[in-house]
Amino acid sequence: MEMLDSSDAWENVDVSTLPIDEIKNRMKNLNDAIVSEDVALSSAYQIGAAYFLKYAMYKDESEPFECLWNYNLEPLLQEYLRGQGESVVREKMKKLKAAYDNEDSVI
C-alpha cells in the first residue's frame, strides 16, 4: 500500500491531484472483503497496489473509481470467482462492490 504514496510509482502524474487516501481505503476495504467469510477467497487473491495505480488512467473521467472497477477490478474478481455458480458469483460480486464503494472507512 505504501507504493501508492510514492510519486515515482505514478509515472508522470502529479500525486497532489490524486485522492490517495480514498484509493488506499478502497483497496483495503476490497481486500478485507476478499478474505471475509462472505467471499471466502484466500489472501493470495487480494489485489495489489499495481491495480490501483491504474486509477491514473481514468483520473480525468467523470467517475474514475467506476472506470477502475469496471475495466480492471471487476473482470479480475469475476475470474477469481469463476466456477462457483452464477448466483453465488453475483452475490459475492455485490459484496465486493459494496466494500469497494465504502470509501469512508479509515485505514
Side-chain angles (χ1 to χ4, degrees), residues 53-88:
L53 289 171
K54 294 178 185 204
Y55 176 90
M57 296 183 338
Y58 310 112
K59 69 181 182 57
D60 295 326
E61 299 291 329
S62 62
E63 296 288 335
F65 283 107
E66 282 303 305
C67 291
L68 180 62
W69 174 262
N70 291 333
Y71 302 123
N72 300 102
L73 302 174
E74 183 178 32
L76 177 67
L77 291 165
Q78 285 180 339
E79 183 64 24
Y80 288 169
L81 297 169
R82 179 175 53 99
Q84 294 189 17
E86 190 176 323
S87 63
V88 172

mmCIF file of all heavy atoms in Angstrom, residues 53-88:
data_model
loop_
_atom_site.group_PDB
_atom_site.id
_atom_site.type_symbol
_atom_site.label_atom_id
_atom_site.label_comp_id
_atom_site.label_asym_id
_atom_site.label_seq_id
_atom_site.Cartn_x
_atom_site.Cartn_y
_atom_site.Cartn_z
ATOM 1 N N LEU A 53 -2.956 1.656 -9.084
ATOM 2 C CA LEU A 53 -2.212 2.698 -9.806
ATOM 3 C C LEU A 53 -2.880 2.999 -11.145
ATOM 4 O O LEU A 53 -2.701 4.077 -11.702
ATOM 5 C CB LEU A 53 -0.767 2.266 -10.035
ATOM 6 C CG LEU A 53 0.127 2.224 -8.804
ATOM 7 C CD1 LEU A 53 1.472 1.575 -9.147
ATOM 8 C CD2 LEU A 53 0.341 3.608 -8.222
ATOM 9 N N LYS A 54 -3.675 2.080 -11.631
ATOM 10 C CA LYS A 54 -4.394 2.288 -12.895
ATOM 11 C C LYS A 54 -5.452 3.383 -12.767
ATOM 12 O O LYS A 54 -5.997 3.829 -13.771
ATOM 13 C CB LYS A 54 -5.015 0.977 -13.364
ATOM 14 C CG LYS A 54 -3.955 -0.048 -13.730
ATOM 15 C CD LYS A 54 -4.543 -1.367 -14.140
ATOM 16 C CE LYS A 54 -3.394 -2.346 -14.365
ATOM 17 N NZ LYS A 54 -3.761 -3.413 -15.246
ATOM 18 N N TYR A 55 -5.719 3.812 -11.551
ATOM 19 C CA TYR A 55 -6.624 4.946 -11.344
ATOM 20 C C TYR A 55 -6.176 6.133 -12.201
ATOM 21 O O TYR A 55 -7.011 6.876 -12.727
ATOM 22 C CB TYR A 55 -6.642 5.338 -9.864
ATOM 23 C CG TYR A 55 -7.475 6.556 -9.578
ATOM 24 C CD1 TYR A 55 -8.820 6.436 -9.268
ATOM 25 C CD2 TYR A 55 -6.923 7.840 -9.627
ATOM 26 C CE1 TYR A 55 -9.598 7.555 -9.011
ATOM 27 C CE2 TYR A 55 -7.690 8.961 -9.379
ATOM 28 C CZ TYR A 55 -9.022 8.819 -9.077
ATOM 29 O OH TYR A 55 -9.782 9.935 -8.838
ATOM 30 N N ALA A 56 -4.873 6.302 -12.351
ATOM 31 C CA ALA A 56 -4.336 7.435 -13.110
ATOM 32 C C ALA A 56 -4.836 7.456 -14.554
ATOM 33 O O ALA A 56 -4.986 8.525 -15.145
ATOM 34 C CB ALA A 56 -2.810 7.406 -13.083
ATOM 35 N N MET A 57 -5.125 6.299 -15.113
ATOM 36 C CA MET A 57 -5.636 6.235 -16.490
ATOM 37 C C MET A 57 -7.018 6.870 -16.601
ATOM 38 O O MET A 57 -7.423 7.311 -17.670
ATOM 39 C CB MET A 57 -5.718 4.778 -16.973
ATOM 40 C CG MET A 57 -4.398 4.096 -17.063
ATOM 41 S SD MET A 57 -4.396 2.383 -17.716
ATOM 42 C CE MET A 57 -6.026 1.757 -17.478
ATOM 43 N N TYR A 58 -7.744 6.895 -15.501
ATOM 44 C CA TYR A 58 -9.138 7.359 -15.515
ATOM 45 C C TYR A 58 -9.357 8.653 -14.732
ATOM 46 O O TYR A 58 -10.483 9.102 -14.606
ATOM 47 C CB TYR A 58 -10.046 6.265 -14.922
ATOM 48 C CG TYR A 58 -9.807 4.914 -15.537
ATOM 49 C CD1 TYR A 58 -9.244 3.884 -14.787
ATOM 50 C CD2 TYR A 58 -10.120 4.664 -16.864
ATOM 51 C CE1 TYR A 58 -9.008 2.633 -15.353
ATOM 52 C CE2 TYR A 58 -9.881 3.423 -17.429
ATOM 53 C CZ TYR A 58 -9.328 2.415 -16.679
ATOM 54 O OH TYR A 58 -9.095 1.185 -17.235
ATOM 55 N N LYS A 59 -8.289 9.246 -14.217
ATOM 56 C CA LYS A 59 -8.414 10.394 -13.315
ATOM 57 C C LYS A 59 -9.177 11.563 -13.923
ATOM 58 O O LYS A 59 -9.766 12.344 -13.197
ATOM 59 C CB LYS A 59 -7.052 10.844 -12.797
ATOM 60 C CG LYS A 59 -6.151 11.466 -13.825
ATOM 61 C CD LYS A 59 -4.824 11.860 -13.209
ATOM 62 C CE LYS A 59 -3.913 12.522 -14.199
ATOM 63 N NZ LYS A 59 -4.440 13.695 -14.837
ATOM 64 N N ASP A 60 -9.192 11.674 -15.233
ATOM 65 C CA ASP A 60 -9.896 12.776 -15.879
ATOM 66 C C ASP A 60 -11.323 12.415 -16.298
ATOM 67 O O ASP A 60 -12.039 13.250 -16.848
ATOM 68 C CB ASP A 60 -9.104 13.261 -17.094
ATOM 69 C CG ASP A 60 -7.762 13.855 -16.675
ATOM 70 O OD1 ASP A 60 -7.680 14.467 -15.594
ATOM 71 O OD2 ASP A 60 -6.781 13.690 -17.437
ATOM 72 N N GLU A 61 -11.721 11.201 -16.032
ATOM 73 C CA GLU A 61 -13.100 10.769 -16.328
ATOM 74 C C GLU A 61 -14.038 11.320 -15.255
ATOM 75 O O GLU A 61 -13.612 11.652 -14.155
ATOM 76 C CB GLU A 61 -13.186 9.236 -16.354
ATOM 77 C CG GLU A 61 -12.318 8.572 -17.399
ATOM 78 C CD GLU A 61 -12.804 8.828 -18.808
ATOM 79 O OE1 GLU A 61 -14.023 8.979 -19.025
ATOM 80 O OE2 GLU A 61 -11.947 8.874 -19.713
ATOM 81 N N SER A 62 -15.331 11.353 -15.554
ATOM 82 C CA SER A 62 -16.291 11.866 -14.568
ATOM 83 C C SER A 62 -16.418 10.933 -13.367
ATOM 84 O O SER A 62 -16.694 11.388 -12.265
ATOM 85 C CB SER A 62 -17.657 12.093 -15.214
ATOM 86 O OG SER A 62 -18.183 10.871 -15.695
ATOM 87 N N GLU A 63 -16.218 9.646 -13.547
ATOM 88 C CA GLU A 63 -16.309 8.655 -12.469
ATOM 89 C C GLU A 63 -15.081 7.738 -12.509
ATOM 90 O O GLU A 63 -15.180 6.568 -12.892
ATOM 91 C CB GLU A 63 -17.589 7.825 -12.607
ATOM 92 C CG GLU A 63 -18.867 8.612 -12.469
ATOM 93 C CD GLU A 63 -19.132 9.047 -11.048
ATOM 94 O OE1 GLU A 63 -18.643 8.394 -10.113
ATOM 95 O OE2 GLU A 63 -19.829 10.064 -10.875
ATOM 96 N N PRO A 64 -13.927 8.246 -12.115
ATOM 97 C CA PRO A 64 -12.703 7.442 -12.250
ATOM 98 C C PRO A 64 -12.722 6.141 -11.450
ATOM 99 O O PRO A 64 -12.196 5.124 -11.912
ATOM 100 C CB PRO A 64 -11.589 8.366 -11.772
ATOM 101 C CG PRO A 64 -12.268 9.430 -10.984
ATOM 102 C CD PRO A 64 -13.646 9.563 -11.536
ATOM 103 N N PHE A 65 -13.345 6.140 -10.273
ATOM 104 C CA PHE A 65 -13.387 4.902 -9.494
ATOM 105 C C PHE A 65 -14.290 3.860 -10.147
ATOM 106 O O PHE A 65 -14.014 2.663 -10.067
ATOM 107 C CB PHE A 65 -13.828 5.179 -8.047
ATOM 108 C CG PHE A 65 -12.721 5.759 -7.215
ATOM 109 C CD1 PHE A 65 -12.745 7.093 -6.855
ATOM 110 C CD2 PHE A 65 -11.654 4.979 -6.800
ATOM 111 C CE1 PHE A 65 -11.725 7.644 -6.098
ATOM 112 C CE2 PHE A 65 -10.626 5.509 -6.034
ATOM 113 C CZ PHE A 65 -10.661 6.847 -5.685
ATOM 114 N N GLU A 66 -15.351 4.302 -10.791
ATOM 115 C CA GLU A 66 -16.216 3.374 -11.519
ATOM 116 C C GLU A 66 -15.465 2.783 -12.711
ATOM 117 O O GLU A 66 -15.600 1.593 -13.003
ATOM 118 C CB GLU A 66 -17.503 4.055 -11.980
ATOM 119 C CG GLU A 66 -18.513 4.224 -10.885
ATOM 120 C CD GLU A 66 -18.909 2.914 -10.223
ATOM 121 O OE1 GLU A 66 -19.344 1.975 -10.916
ATOM 122 O OE2 GLU A 66 -18.773 2.822 -8.991
ATOM 123 N N CYS A 67 -14.699 3.601 -13.390
ATOM 124 C CA CYS A 67 -13.902 3.103 -14.515
ATOM 125 C C CYS A 67 -12.887 2.068 -14.040
ATOM 126 O O CYS A 67 -12.734 1.020 -14.669
ATOM 127 C CB CYS A 67 -13.182 4.253 -15.221
ATOM 128 S SG CYS A 67 -14.278 5.371 -16.112
ATOM 129 N N LEU A 68 -12.203 2.361 -12.950
ATOM 130 C CA LEU A 68 -11.232 1.420 -12.401
ATOM 131 C C LEU A 68 -11.925 0.097 -12.071
ATOM 132 O O LEU A 68 -11.414 -0.985 -12.389
ATOM 133 C CB LEU A 68 -10.560 2.002 -11.157
ATOM 134 C CG LEU A 68 -9.525 1.122 -10.468
ATOM 135 C CD1 LEU A 68 -8.357 0.821 -11.394
ATOM 136 C CD2 LEU A 68 -9.037 1.789 -9.184
ATOM 137 N N TRP A 69 -13.080 0.175 -11.449
ATOM 138 C CA TRP A 69 -13.836 -1.035 -11.117
ATOM 139 C C TRP A 69 -14.244 -1.778 -12.395
ATOM 140 O O TRP A 69 -13.980 -2.968 -12.550
ATOM 141 C CB TRP A 69 -15.072 -0.688 -10.284
ATOM 142 C CG TRP A 69 -15.945 -1.879 -10.043
ATOM 143 C CD1 TRP A 69 -17.071 -2.234 -10.742
ATOM 144 C CD2 TRP A 69 -15.743 -2.900 -9.065
ATOM 145 N NE1 TRP A 69 -17.583 -3.410 -10.240
ATOM 146 C CE2 TRP A 69 -16.786 -3.841 -9.211
ATOM 147 C CE3 TRP A 69 -14.797 -3.112 -8.066
ATOM 148 C CZ2 TRP A 69 -16.908 -4.962 -8.412
ATOM 149 C CZ3 TRP A 69 -14.914 -4.234 -7.254
ATOM 150 C CH2 TRP A 69 -15.954 -5.148 -7.442
ATOM 151 N N ASN A 70 -14.903 -1.084 -13.306
ATOM 152 C CA ASN A 70 -15.482 -1.724 -14.485
ATOM 153 C C ASN A 70 -14.445 -2.346 -15.422
ATOM 154 O O ASN A 70 -14.698 -3.413 -15.991
ATOM 155 C CB ASN A 70 -16.327 -0.723 -15.279
ATOM 156 C CG ASN A 70 -17.575 -0.321 -14.539
ATOM 157 O OD1 ASN A 70 -18.110 -1.059 -13.713
ATOM 158 N ND2 ASN A 70 -18.052 0.882 -14.812
ATOM 159 N N TYR A 71 -13.311 -1.688 -15.580
ATOM 160 C CA TYR A 71 -12.346 -2.126 -16.584
ATOM 161 C C TYR A 71 -11.177 -2.937 -16.027
ATOM 162 O O TYR A 71 -10.489 -3.611 -16.797
ATOM 163 C CB TYR A 71 -11.809 -0.926 -17.359
ATOM 164 C CG TYR A 71 -12.902 -0.136 -18.025
ATOM 165 C CD1 TYR A 71 -13.063 1.216 -17.769
ATOM 166 C CD2 TYR A 71 -13.811 -0.748 -18.894
ATOM 167 C CE1 TYR A 71 -14.082 1.945 -18.368
ATOM 168 C CE2 TYR A 71 -14.829 -0.023 -19.492
ATOM 169 C CZ TYR A 71 -14.957 1.322 -19.228
ATOM 170 O OH TYR A 71 -15.962 2.027 -19.823
ATOM 171 N N ASN A 72 -10.946 -2.877 -14.737
ATOM 172 C CA ASN A 72 -9.786 -3.571 -14.181
ATOM 173 C C ASN A 72 -10.121 -4.518 -13.037
ATOM 174 O O ASN A 72 -9.677 -5.664 -13.045
ATOM 175 C CB ASN A 72 -8.736 -2.556 -13.715
ATOM 176 C CG ASN A 72 -8.257 -1.684 -14.838
ATOM 177 O OD1 ASN A 72 -8.667 -0.544 -14.953
ATOM 178 N ND2 ASN A 72 -7.416 -2.220 -15.702
ATOM 179 N N LEU A 73 -10.863 -4.052 -12.063
ATOM 180 C CA LEU A 73 -11.092 -4.849 -10.867
ATOM 181 C C LEU A 73 -12.194 -5.887 -11.046
ATOM 182 O O LEU A 73 -12.011 -7.065 -10.685
ATOM 183 C CB LEU A 73 -11.392 -3.938 -9.677
ATOM 184 C CG LEU A 73 -10.300 -2.909 -9.356
ATOM 185 C CD1 LEU A 73 -10.754 -1.968 -8.258
ATOM 186 C CD2 LEU A 73 -9.001 -3.594 -9.002
ATOM 187 N N GLU A 74 -13.331 -5.478 -11.558
ATOM 188 C CA GLU A 74 -14.456 -6.408 -11.710
ATOM 189 C C GLU A 74 -14.098 -7.616 -12.576
ATOM 190 O O GLU A 74 -14.364 -8.760 -12.165
ATOM 191 C CB GLU A 74 -15.682 -5.672 -12.266
ATOM 192 C CG GLU A 74 -16.895 -6.567 -12.384
ATOM 193 C CD GLU A 74 -18.114 -5.820 -12.891
ATOM 194 O OE1 GLU A 74 -17.952 -4.867 -13.684
ATOM 195 O OE2 GLU A 74 -19.231 -6.204 -12.494
ATOM 196 N N PRO A 75 -13.487 -7.431 -13.756
ATOM 197 C CA PRO A 75 -13.141 -8.616 -14.555
ATOM 198 C C PRO A 75 -12.172 -9.563 -13.839
ATOM 199 O O PRO A 75 -12.315 -10.786 -13.929
ATOM 200 C CB PRO A 75 -12.492 -8.031 -15.817
ATOM 201 C CG PRO A 75 -12.960 -6.624 -15.885
ATOM 202 C CD PRO A 75 -13.166 -6.189 -14.457
ATOM 203 N N LEU A 76 -11.224 -9.009 -13.116
ATOM 204 C CA LEU A 76 -10.275 -9.828 -12.369
ATOM 205 C C LEU A 76 -10.992 -10.640 -11.290
ATOM 206 O O LEU A 76 -10.781 -11.851 -11.150
ATOM 207 C CB LEU A 76 -9.196 -8.944 -11.741
ATOM 208 C CG LEU A 76 -8.166 -9.647 -10.870
ATOM 209 C CD1 LEU A 76 -7.292 -10.567 -11.715
ATOM 210 C CD2 LEU A 76 -7.312 -8.618 -10.136
ATOM 211 N N LEU A 77 -11.844 -9.979 -10.536
ATOM 212 C CA LEU A 77 -12.575 -10.654 -9.457
ATOM 213 C C LEU A 77 -13.528 -11.714 -10.004
ATOM 214 O O LEU A 77 -13.669 -12.791 -9.422
ATOM 215 C CB LEU A 77 -13.325 -9.626 -8.607
ATOM 216 C CG LEU A 77 -12.412 -8.720 -7.785
ATOM 217 C CD1 LEU A 77 -13.183 -7.515 -7.269
ATOM 218 C CD2 LEU A 77 -11.769 -9.490 -6.646
ATOM 219 N N GLN A 78 -14.159 -11.443 -11.125
ATOM 220 C CA GLN A 78 -15.042 -12.442 -11.732
ATOM 221 C C GLN A 78 -14.243 -13.677 -12.152
ATOM 222 O O GLN A 78 -14.721 -14.798 -12.010
ATOM 223 C CB GLN A 78 -15.798 -11.850 -12.916
ATOM 224 C CG GLN A 78 -16.905 -10.925 -12.472
ATOM 225 C CD GLN A 78 -17.681 -10.323 -13.613
ATOM 226 O OE1 GLN A 78 -17.217 -10.258 -14.746
ATOM 227 N NE2 GLN A 78 -18.885 -9.862 -13.308
ATOM 228 N N GLU A 79 -13.048 -13.456 -12.609
ATOM 229 C CA GLU A 79 -12.188 -14.589 -12.960
ATOM 230 C C GLU A 79 -11.818 -15.395 -11.713
ATOM 231 O O GLU A 79 -11.807 -16.618 -11.741
ATOM 232 C CB GLU A 79 -10.926 -14.088 -13.674
ATOM 233 C CG GLU A 79 -10.015 -15.184 -14.138
ATOM 234 C CD GLU A 79 -10.620 -16.104 -15.198
ATOM 235 O OE1 GLU A 79 -11.548 -15.698 -15.913
ATOM 236 O OE2 GLU A 79 -10.140 -17.250 -15.302
ATOM 237 N N TYR A 80 -11.545 -14.710 -10.630
ATOM 238 C CA TYR A 80 -11.238 -15.393 -9.372
ATOM 239 C C TYR A 80 -12.399 -16.261 -8.899
ATOM 240 O O TYR A 80 -12.197 -17.323 -8.321
ATOM 241 C CB TYR A 80 -10.919 -14.394 -8.254
ATOM 242 C CG TYR A 80 -9.603 -13.667 -8.348
ATOM 243 C CD1 TYR A 80 -9.356 -12.589 -7.515
ATOM 244 C CD2 TYR A 80 -8.608 -14.031 -9.234
ATOM 245 C CE1 TYR A 80 -8.153 -11.906 -7.552
ATOM 246 C CE2 TYR A 80 -7.402 -13.358 -9.290
ATOM 247 C CZ TYR A 80 -7.171 -12.288 -8.449
ATOM 248 O OH TYR A 80 -5.987 -11.613 -8.486
ATOM 249 N N LEU A 81 -13.616 -15.792 -9.130
ATOM 250 C CA LEU A 81 -14.807 -16.475 -8.637
ATOM 251 C C LEU A 81 -15.400 -17.467 -9.639
ATOM 252 O O LEU A 81 -16.343 -18.181 -9.319
ATOM 253 C CB LEU A 81 -15.876 -15.440 -8.246
ATOM 254 C CG LEU A 81 -15.481 -14.501 -7.111
ATOM 255 C CD1 LEU A 81 -16.495 -13.365 -6.988
ATOM 256 C CD2 LEU A 81 -15.333 -15.248 -5.796
ATOM 257 N N ARG A 82 -14.832 -17.503 -10.811
ATOM 258 C CA ARG A 82 -15.322 -18.369 -11.890
ATOM 259 C C ARG A 82 -15.510 -19.806 -11.390
ATOM 260 O O ARG A 82 -14.715 -20.317 -10.626
ATOM 261 C CB ARG A 82 -14.316 -18.335 -13.035
ATOM 262 C CG ARG A 82 -14.625 -19.173 -14.213
ATOM 263 C CD ARG A 82 -13.601 -18.937 -15.309
ATOM 264 N NE ARG A 82 -12.225 -19.106 -14.863
ATOM 265 C CZ ARG A 82 -11.498 -20.199 -15.049
ATOM 266 N NH1 ARG A 82 -12.015 -21.230 -15.671
ATOM 267 N NH2 ARG A 82 -10.255 -20.257 -14.623
ATOM 268 N N GLY A 83 -16.578 -20.396 -11.800
ATOM 269 C CA GLY A 83 -16.837 -21.782 -11.458
ATOM 270 C C GLY A 83 -17.611 -21.984 -10.161
ATOM 271 O O GLY A 83 -17.872 -23.117 -9.764
ATOM 272 N N GLN A 84 -17.998 -20.909 -9.493
ATOM 273 C CA GLN A 84 -18.727 -21.043 -8.228
ATOM 274 C C GLN A 84 -20.240 -20.996 -8.411
ATOM 275 O O GLN A 84 -20.973 -21.009 -7.427
ATOM 276 C CB GLN A 84 -18.285 -19.953 -7.245
ATOM 277 C CG GLN A 84 -16.855 -20.096 -6.802
ATOM 278 C CD GLN A 84 -16.508 -19.159 -5.672
ATOM 279 O OE1 GLN A 84 -17.363 -18.602 -4.992
ATOM 280 N NE2 GLN A 84 -15.215 -18.977 -5.444
ATOM 281 N N GLY A 85 -20.683 -20.917 -9.629
ATOM 282 C CA GLY A 85 -22.128 -20.832 -9.883
ATOM 283 C C GLY A 85 -22.546 -19.388 -10.055
ATOM 284 O O GLY A 85 -22.109 -18.507 -9.318
ATOM 285 N N GLU A 86 -23.405 -19.152 -11.026
ATOM 286 C CA GLU A 86 -23.801 -17.788 -11.395
ATOM 287 C C GLU A 86 -24.400 -16.992 -10.243
ATOM 288 O O GLU A 86 -24.027 -15.840 -10.011
ATOM 289 C CB GLU A 86 -24.780 -17.840 -12.565
ATOM 290 C CG GLU A 86 -25.064 -16.501 -13.171
ATOM 291 C CD GLU A 86 -25.954 -16.602 -14.394
ATOM 292 O OE1 GLU A 86 -25.802 -17.567 -15.166
ATOM 293 O OE2 GLU A 86 -26.808 -15.711 -14.556
ATOM 294 N N SER A 87 -25.308 -17.589 -9.498
ATOM 295 C CA SER A 87 -25.955 -16.844 -8.408
ATOM 296 C C SER A 87 -24.969 -16.559 -7.274
ATOM 297 O O SER A 87 -25.020 -15.491 -6.662
ATOM 298 C CB SER A 87 -27.180 -17.583 -7.884
ATOM 299 O OG SER A 87 -26.811 -18.827 -7.330
ATOM 300 N N VAL A 88 -24.067 -17.480 -6.995
ATOM 301 C CA VAL A 88 -23.058 -17.276 -5.953
ATOM 302 C C VAL A 88 -22.104 -16.155 -6.368
ATOM 303 O O VAL A 88 -21.795 -15.257 -5.577
ATOM 304 C CB VAL A 88 -22.271 -18.587 -5.677
ATOM 305 C CG1 VAL A 88 -21.091 -18.330 -4.751
ATOM 306 C CG2 VAL A 88 -23.188 -19.642 -5.096
#
